[in-house]
Amino acid sequence: EDDILQRVGASDSDDSNNDDDNASDSQSTARLAPIHTGVKRVNLMELVYGTAEDGSLASSVDTDDRIKPVSAGGEIDESNLRKFFITNPGDSDDEEGSADEEEGDAGDFEDLEAGSGSEDEKSGSGSDDGASGSDDDESEEEENEFGLPADKMKKLKNKFDRVYDSDDEDGEKKDFYQQQKDVLQKYVDDTRTEMDELATINYRWAGEYVKVVIEDMPYEFMQGLDPTLPIVLGGISNEEGLSLITLRIKRHRWYPKILKTGDPIVVSVGWRRFQTIPTYFMNDRIKNRMLKYTPEHLHCSAAIYSPYIQPGTGFCAYYMKRAHNFGVAATGTVLENSQAIDVVKKIKLTGLPEKIHKHTAYIKRMFNTSLEVAKFEGAAIKTVSGIRGQVKKAFGNNGVFRATFEDRIKASDIVFLRAFHTIPIKKFYNPITSLLS
């Protein structure tokens, strides 16, 4: 009996211990079972270790319609397991499929601009037609090598055909020259139509012969008129005023001699031919320095006195007395019209000491009046021996002035002054009337 009681007590203690163990296991399972991953809840114990044969582990899991097992037949499904550890939803193919399914459940895309009746109209079409249309669209997109929609490609093709396949009435393709001629002809036709409506205006078209009567013609014109030469009729009333003209000139390569400042030359520009006296100069970015002769193979500037000339007009120049086989002496263009052009020339004035007192000396024979001395006050002077000085004040009215030097000068020293003098432009204009004689 004692043995039986001991065995019964041991069995009861074992049962209590087993009950405690099962309770602790169920508590740990319940604690680990519900894991929320967005929409689904998975039991990791069941996922890792599988379902027990007695169903003790599965009974502790909270049942839910949204839970889908990831193990089938005791084996773990790797695709379902990978899905729970992916942070980017676009990385999984299964999720893309599920997203497509959700979009299909939500319904097809509805075009709000097409109206509510479009859905009813589309519902009447058969599924076979829709399938065939989709297949055609896919085939068109596959055949399109530019990756553009079919409707856009059709519009581009129609535009290309309209631009490049347009033929004229004869069925021949027009070139660019013929198209421009057609445009000009259309412009002329429209102009004639508009002018015909204005009956009060007396007009003549190009190519027609007209009779012009000019009153108060000079006697010389009729005396020297040559009917074999054409006469150009036109108005140059805006070019009647005289001014100084700046030219850009260059000696012609076939003319054997260079041009000299002050020699009268005939300029042919526009409707005019006239004789003038040019002054050649070169601009060194500070002043216009006069040139005695034109450069050999370079351009230079020239100042003449003539009527107004439009800037940019070309001209040619020649001499009245032709001494060479080639007559054109120079060519160039008109730069500007102005009322004053400052052209300077380098001069060297010399004088002699009259009185010497230490570093001060009175210089004579350099200027003639005190007014000339006043123009050069403060100018730098220098002696032949290299002693530098400065012009101070005039002494008397005979051109003698007082000057100071760095050192005492000698009575035999020659004092000279280097300066620039403004050259006046000679205002000479003589129209050429050789056709009237």
Side-chain angles (χ1 to χ4, degrees):
E1 293 178 354
D2 295 337
D3 295 337
I4 292 172
L5 292 175
Q6 290 177 0
R7 290 178 182 178
V8 171
S11 62
D12 293 337
S13 61
D14 293 338
D15 294 338
S16 61
N17 293 332
N18 292 332
D19 294 338
D20 295 338
D21 295 338
N22 293 333
S24 61
D25 293 339
S26 62
Q27 291 177 2
S28 61
T29 303
R31 185 173 63 253
L32 298 175
I35 297 178
H36 299 277
T37 58
V39 179
K40 303 175 183 180
R41 292 187 299 172
V42 180
N43 188 354
L44 292 182
M45 295 290 293
E46 183 180 355
L47 178 65
V48 176
Y49 298 103
T51 306
E53 296 179 358
D54 54 358
S56 59
L57 186 60
S59 62
S60 61
V61 180
D62 188 8
T63 60
D64 194 350
D65 295 338
R66 296 175 296 177
I67 299 176
K68 296 181 181 179
V70 296
S71 61
E75 297 181 359
I76 299 175
D77 191 357
E78 296 181 359
S79 62
N80 293 336
L81 178 61
R82 189 182 302 110
K83 181 168 54 179
F84 295 108
F85 295 95
I86 293 176
T87 58
N88 187 3
D91 294 341
S92 176
D93 298 336
D94 297 335
E95 290 192 0
E96 291 179 358
S98 62
D100 296 337
E101 293 176 1
E102 291 177 2
E103 290 181 358
D105 297 339
D108 297 335
F109 174 74
E110 180 180 357
D111 191 358
L112 298 179
E113 296 180 356
S116 60
S118 61
E119 184 178 357
D120 298 334
E121 295 175 0
K122 293 179 181 178
S123 62
S125 61
S127 60
D128 297 338
D129 297 338
S132 61
S134 61
D135 295 339
D136 296 339
D137 296 341
E138 291 178 358
S139 62
E140 290 179 358
E141 292 181 358
E142 291 178 357
E143 294 175 358
N144 181 12
E145 60 181 356
F146 300 101
L148 298 177
D151 55 348
K152 190 170 183 179
M153 285 295 298
K154 187 175 181 180
K155 292 180 181 179
L156 292 176
K157 185 177 182 302
N158 294 336
K159 184 178 180 181
F160 180 84
D161 295 341
R162 185 171 61 255
V163 173
Y164 293 97
D165 295 344
S166 60
D167 298 334
D168 56 1
E169 297 177 356
D170 300 336
E172 298 179 357
K173 196 171 184 179
K174 296 182 179 180
D175 56 355
F176 178 77
Y177 177 70
Q178 188 65 29
Q179 293 177 2
Q180 295 299 320
K181 287 182 64 177
D182 295 344
V183 171
L184 294 177
Q185 185 63 33
K186 184 177 180 302
Y187 176 76
V188 172
D189 295 341
D190 295 342
T191 304
R192 287 182 179 271
T193 304
E194 293 292 336
M195 294 298 293
D196 291 338
E197 296 177 358
L198 302 176
T200 58
I201 300 178
N202 188 11
Y203 62 90
R204 291 293 180 268
W205 294 103
E208 296 182 356
Y209 289 92
V210 296
K211 180 180 178 181
V212 181
V213 179
I214 303 177
E215 299 179 354
D216 299 334
M217 289 297 295
Y219 170 76
E220 293 80 8
F221 181 83
M222 300 304 300
Q223 184 180 8
L225 178 63
D226 187 358
T228 60
L229 296 177
I231 300 174
V232 179
L233 299 179
I236 51 176
S237 59
N238 58 341
E239 299 179 359
E240 291 295 334
L242 297 173
S243 66
L244 296 178
I245 310 298
T246 303
L247 309 177
R248 187 170 182 262
I249 191 171
K250 180 183 179 182
R251 181 186 66 88
H252 199 279
R253 64 167 73 182
W254 292 347
Y255 194 76
K257 296 181 64 176
I258 58 177
L259 310 182
K260 182 180 179 181
T261 295
D263 288 349
I265 194 171
V266 178
V267 177
S268 176
V269 53
W271 304 111
R272 302 179 184 276
R273 286 189 308 148
F274 54 89
Q275 189 179 25
T276 184
I277 299 177
T279 301
Y280 305 109
F281 62 91
M282 186 78 74
N283 189 351
D284 58 357
R285 299 184 181 181
I286 298 177
K287 52 189 172 294
N288 298 325
R289 297 186 59 176
M290 191 197 75
L291 301 176
K292 190 174 182 180
Y293 298 97
T294 57
E296 188 71 21
H297 302 289
L298 294 177
H299 285 85
C300 68
S301 300
I304 62 174
Y305 184 72
S306 71
Y308 293 112
I309 306 174
Q310 186 71 19
T313 306
F315 71 92
C316 65
Y318 60 94
Y319 288 100
M320 290 291 292
K321 294 182 179 181
R322 184 171 178 178
H324 307 283
N325 294 331
F326 191 77
V328 179
T331 58
T333 57
V334 179
L335 295 182
E336 62 178 353
N337 305 329
S338 59
Q339 296 298 328
I341 301 176
D342 293 332
V343 180
V344 297
K345 177 183 177 182
K346 184 186 292 186
I347 59 174
K348 183 177 180 181
L349 304 177
T350 59
L352 299 175
E354 184 179 12
K355 295 180 181 179
I356 300 174
H357 181 69
K358 294 184 178 179
H359 292 181
T360 303
Y362 293 91
I363 309 299
K364 62 180 180 179
R365 296 182 183 180
M366 183 176 290
F367 304 107
N368 296 323
T369 61
S370 59
L371 182 60
E372 294 180 358
V373 176
K375 291 181 180 180
F376 290 90
E377 284 185 2
I381 56 178
K382 191 176 181 180
T383 63
V384 178
S385 58
I387 302 175
R388 293 173 297 180
Q390 187 179 16
V391 178
K392 291 299 183 180
K393 291 287 184 179
F395 182 76
N397 295 326
N398 53 359
V400 178
F401 64 92
R402 181 173 59 88
T404 58
F405 295 89
E406 296 176 339
D407 197 0
R408 182 183 179 88
I409 64 174
K410 300 178 181 180
S412 59
D413 283 339
I414 298 176
V415 181
F416 58 89
L417 184 148
R418 297 180 183 272
F420 289 96
H421 176 62
T422 302
I423 301 298
I425 306 299
K426 296 181 180 180
K427 296 183 178 182
F428 176 74
Y429 170 71
N430 180 28
I432 301 300
T433 59
S434 59
L435 296 179
L436 303 179
S437 59

